[in-house]
Amino acid sequence: MMHFANAANAARRRLGSCPRLRLGAGGRAHSSSSSLNAETVASLSAFRARLGVALPSSNEALLGALTHRSFVASSPTNANNSITSDSDVEESQRNRILGARLLLFHVTNHVLLAHPRLPAHAVESLVEAYVGDRALADMGRITGIHHVMRWKKNKTLEDGLAGVPGQAIAVARVVQALVGAIYHDQGAKGVDEFIKRHVLSRVVDVASHLRLQVNPKGTLRAILKEQKRPSPVSRMLKETGRLSANPVFIVGVYSGLEKIGEGYGSSIAMAETRACKNALERHFTKEVKDIQVPLDMLTEDNLTFAEDTHPQQQ
């Protein structure tokens, strides 16, 4: 009996000395032993806590997503043994492309569902305000991605892109790669949680993305006619200093008995134009609450991996 007990204890000691494996999404195994140094692990742990959402469970996968390809190109080998092979670089780039598509798909669907009356040009502009390079770079700085990401300034990034500084471009690309890595580890629900908390939580002025400079009263009249409602009628609500050098007029625009817009100006025409624009803004920016983007459509098979011909590939 003592022989079997000693053998069992020895086996337990041998098993205890082996690296433990834990399963990620899709049953992938990750080793709990890490080749990363203590400082890197501490930085990644703080970053996880700061974001407050599910990130790739493996520190190596997370660090890979936080590594811009400029760092890889300038560091073929590094002390942490990560993102050095061609396959690792390819995986990082694949995550970036996937993440960009996921962000665009999710946010576009959210905008279309939340603002069903927005014209196409406003939808495109609003989506850019959420997931464009400037927006993603700002989000990255707010969440501290620029403190944990790895990148190297090079000639490609030196001049930036479309007025966006080089580091901001790198931060935006890392955010995209992080979203792709989250999808691989946490699935569509993980991406949904990240986007809702860190992308769609941004305050964006929807009305500022409308183009209402050309004939707002005519546009308003056409919309009301399509809705089979009474044509717009302007009425003076208040005025002061009509005969002075600085008059102020406040005009309301009505459809039947309902006031649908209000504006002010130094002339009656200016006030009426602003009132019509206000009515159009109210119409187009009407928001539907508690919408849900269909997560079953967020599958890798539904997203293309073809590189864009647009120059935003830094």
Side-chain angles (χ1 to χ4, degrees):
M1 291 293 291
M2 288 294 293
H3 173 74
F4 286 112
N6 291 336
N9 289 333
R12 277 195 292 270
R13 284 195 297 271
R14 285 194 298 272
L15 287 173
S17 65
C18 295
R20 297 182 180 180
L21 297 178
R22 49 198 177 106
L23 293 179
R28 293 187 295 273
H30 300 295
S31 173
S32 63
S33 64
S34 175
S35 61
L36 306 180
N37 59 47
E39 183 179 356
T40 300
V41 172
S43 296
L44 294 177
S45 297
F47 178 66
R48 290 179 187 277
R50 187 160 55 246
L51 259 66
V53 296
L55 298 176
S57 52
S58 160
N59 276 337
E60 287 79 3
L62 177 56
L63 186 62
L66 294 172
T67 302
H68 186 260
R69 64 180 179 180
S70 61
F71 180 86
V72 179
S74 62
S75 306
T77 58
N78 60 75
N80 288 333
N81 250 353
S82 56
I83 312 297
T84 55
S85 68
D86 290 341
S87 61
D88 287 336
V89 175
E90 179 64 25
E91 179 67 19
S92 180
Q93 283 296 95
R94 186 178 175 86
N95 279 337
R96 181 191 65 75
I97 298 169
L98 174 61
R101 301 301 187 274
L102 288 166
L103 284 163
L104 185 63
F105 177 90
H106 194 294
V107 173
T108 301
N109 272 275
H110 174 87
V111 170
L112 290 172
L113 293 171
H115 303 284
R117 294 177 176 176
L118 273 184
H121 74 268
V123 171
E124 187 175 10
S125 178
L126 187 57
V127 169
E128 179 71 13
Y130 279 117
V131 297
D133 286 340
R134 289 185 183 276
L136 293 181
D138 288 342
M139 187 274 287
R141 282 191 289 268
I142 291 171
T143 55
I145 285 179
H146 62 298
H147 290 307
V148 293
M149 65 179 278
R150 302 187 300 177
W151 76 295
K152 294 285 186 180
K153 191 171 184 178
N154 56 30
K155 189 171 181 60
T156 306
L157 290 170
E158 187 173 357
D159 298 327
L161 182 67
V164 183
Q167 184 181 14
I169 295 294
V171 172
R173 298 295 174 265
V174 166
V175 171
Q176 293 169 344
L178 179 61
V179 172
I182 290 173
Y183 176 84
H184 280 304
D185 197 85
Q186 303 294 332
K189 288 186 177 179
V191 172
D192 181 65
E193 181 185 11
F194 177 89
I195 291 177
K196 284 181 177 177
R197 183 156 183 171
H198 295 294
V199 178
L200 293 174
S201 60
R202 292 169 57 86
V203 178
V204 177
D205 181 12
V206 179
S208 67
H209 297 274
L210 293 167
R211 300 173 190 163
L212 305 175
Q213 291 80 10
V214 180
N215 193 16
K217 189 170 185 178
T219 303
L220 181 60
R221 185 182 294 110
I223 290 173
L224 292 175
K225 183 179 180 180
E226 185 180 348
Q227 296 178 342
K228 297 181 180 180
R229 297 173 60 187
S231 295
V233 176
S234 301
R235 298 172 186 169
M236 181 74 69
L237 300 180
K238 295 179 183 178
E239 66 171 276
T240 182
R242 180 185 284 258
L243 301 178
S244 70
N246 299 298
V248 177
F249 301 94
I250 299 178
V251 172
V253 62
Y254 289 77
S255 175
L257 298 177
E258 181 186 0
K259 186 175 76 169
I260 58 177
E262 185 176 308
Y264 71 93
S266 58
S267 68
I268 296 176
M270 179 187 293
E272 182 182 27
T273 298
R274 286 178 171 171
C276 291
K277 286 184 178 180
N278 178 244
L280 289 172
E281 288 174 359
R282 291 182 182 184
H283 169 77
F284 286 126
T285 62
K286 184 176 181 179
E287 184 175 2
V288 178
K289 302 292 185 180
D290 301 323
I291 63 153
Q292 182 62 49
V293 173
L295 297 183
D296 57 333
M297 295 180 67
L298 284 176
T299 63
E300 197 167 345
D301 292 338
N302 290 338
L303 300 165
T304 177
F305 284 91
E307 284 278 9
D308 291 332
T309 56
H310 195 281
Q312 293 184 352
Q313 297 299 322
Q314 295 186 42

